[in-house]
Amino acid sequence: MIENVLTYMVFSPLVGMAVVLLLPSARHNLIRWVAALFTVPPLLLAFWLFGNFDRANPGLQFVEKVPWIPAYNIEYFVAVDGISISMVLLSALICFLCIFASWGIDKAVKGYFALFLLLDTGMMGVFVALDFFLFYIFWELMLLPMYFLIGIWGGPRKEYAAIKFFIYTFTGSLFTLAGF
């Protein structure tokens, strides 16, 4: 079994984002291919996870648990179960396909693909996080790039859609934080 497979799957797009940000802005094709390349590891690892998932065992699998902020009992605690494994696979596949569907983006290519890879990290983290604080961090990490992707590269009335998205998600996040 691969050690820390979930950590590699969650954070490899974040490494890709850093690489994309280091590339020259004028090299649009290079940026696109690097972004596509960094969506491959989560996809391959998701297929590996799905193939090696023990369907007879309904409990948590591929568990990684490390104390993070011990004073508040906050841990880096990630794992998958029967529902989250399918969501992880679906997210990895959709992100891989969406990179190629976004190939026609010509406005601020570097920013778009960097934000997309950050969104990929957030989505993967949301589906594998089992510590509530860690889940909340990944949830908020996912919302930030979504706001900008909608507001900058969205369709007609993108500013209205981005503001509406922000209001709904911010309200939901406040209720989540209050529950926390």
Side-chain angles (χ1 to χ4, degrees):
M1 181 172 83
I2 300 175
E3 292 294 319
N4 304 320
V5 64
L6 294 176
T7 299
Y8 294 138
M9 187 178 63
V10 169
F11 291 106
S12 61
L14 191 63
V15 173
M17 183 191 93
V19 171
V20 164
L21 289 174
L22 293 173
L23 295 173
S25 297
R27 304 282 311 269
H28 293 180
N29 280 334
L30 179 63
I31 291 168
R32 289 180 182 112
W33 281 108
V34 167
L37 178 71
F38 277 95
T39 60
V40 172
L43 179 63
L44 294 176
L45 290 171
F47 275 116
W48 184 88
L49 277 171
F50 194 78
N52 288 290
F53 188 79
D54 181 10
R55 285 155 186 78
N57 178 4
L60 298 175
Q61 298 178 36
F62 307 103
V63 177
E64 299 174 34
K65 194 172 189 178
V66 178
W68 185 19
I69 307 172
Y72 295 101
N73 200 24
I74 297 172
E75 300 173 316
Y76 175 78
F77 183 19
V78 293
V80 290
D81 60 12
I83 295 174
S84 64
I85 188 73
S86 59
M87 298 306 291
V88 165
L89 179 61
L90 182 62
S91 295
L93 181 61
I94 295 283
C95 284
F96 176 74
L97 294 175
C98 285
I99 283 287
F100 295 103
S102 304
W103 223 249
I105 297 288
D106 286 329
K107 176 182 174 185
V109 174
K110 185 177 183 175
Y112 176 86
F113 286 101
L115 286 170
F116 188 89
L117 290 169
L118 183 61
L119 174 65
D120 192 2
T121 295
M123 285 191 302
M124 291 296 170
V126 160
F127 290 126
V128 301
L130 291 174
D131 181 83
F132 189 76
F133 185 76
L134 184 64
F135 170 82
Y136 190 76
I137 296 285
F138 281 124
W139 177 258
E140 293 298 324
L141 184 70
M142 184 177 66
L143 297 180
L144 179 70
M146 280 298 295
Y147 172 77
F148 287 110
L149 290 171
I150 293 168
I152 298 171
W153 294 276
R157 298 182 58 189
K158 58 188 171 195
E159 292 86 8
Y160 173 75
I163 294 298
K164 199 172 192 178
F165 173 80
F166 175 76
I167 290 170
Y168 286 139
T169 55
F170 183 71
T171 304
S173 292
L174 286 178
F175 283 119
T176 305
L177 187 60
F180 176 55

